[in-house]
Amino acid sequence: MTPAEQVAAQPYAALLCLYAGIVCGIVYDLFRLVRRLWRARPVEPVCDALFSAALGAIAAAMLLLSTGGRLRLYLFLFAGAGYALEQFAVYGTISRIVHTWMRKRAGIR
């Protein structure tokens, strides 16, 4: 790949990493839900192990699809930004809606 082609591929790689971070956030939220629904003792380590495996698979796919497996700092920065975006936008909004609904249902203003 020529240097010009590498520069042209960087926006694609950045967006792919942003999407990978969003997917990591969604997977984390799903495991968070499972942990809150089943508060049994073995659920927490199982969820942690499954999340770690999913995170590893997502990171490997992200690196292979974006740069062919080459490590670049900006890839991880964009993945972190995608995760933060998902946590702020999706989880933050949903948790505010659920907490408001639960307070209204309990009669607390």
Side-chain angles (χ1 to χ4, degrees):
M1 189 181 279
T2 66
E5 290 173 337
Q6 288 177 351
V7 171
Q10 286 181 356
Y12 165 76
L15 284 176
L16 185 86
C17 293
L18 191 69
Y19 296 147
I22 291 170
V23 170
C24 288
I26 291 170
V27 169
Y28 184 78
D29 288 341
L30 290 175
F31 283 117
R32 182 185 307 180
L33 179 65
V34 170
R35 290 169 103 175
R36 289 193 179 162
L37 289 176
W38 293 288
R39 294 194 181 260
R41 180 166 271 205
V43 171
E44 186 172 334
V46 169
C47 284
D48 288 344
L50 289 173
F51 175 69
S52 298
L55 185 64
I58 293 168
M62 173 189 78
L63 286 174
L64 286 174
L65 292 174
S66 63
T67 61
R70 290 188 208 103
L71 293 175
R72 300 284 185 252
L73 178 61
Y74 77 94
L75 299 177
F76 292 102
L77 292 175
F78 272 96
Y83 177 81
L85 178 70
E86 189 278 336
Q87 289 296 299
F88 176 73
V90 177
Y91 179 72
T93 303
I94 290 174
S95 67
R96 280 192 297 271
I97 291 169
V98 168
H99 285 260
T100 303
W101 179 73
M102 294 295 283
R103 276 185 268 151
K104 284 183 181 178
R105 188 165 183 178
I108 302 170
R109 297 241 172 212

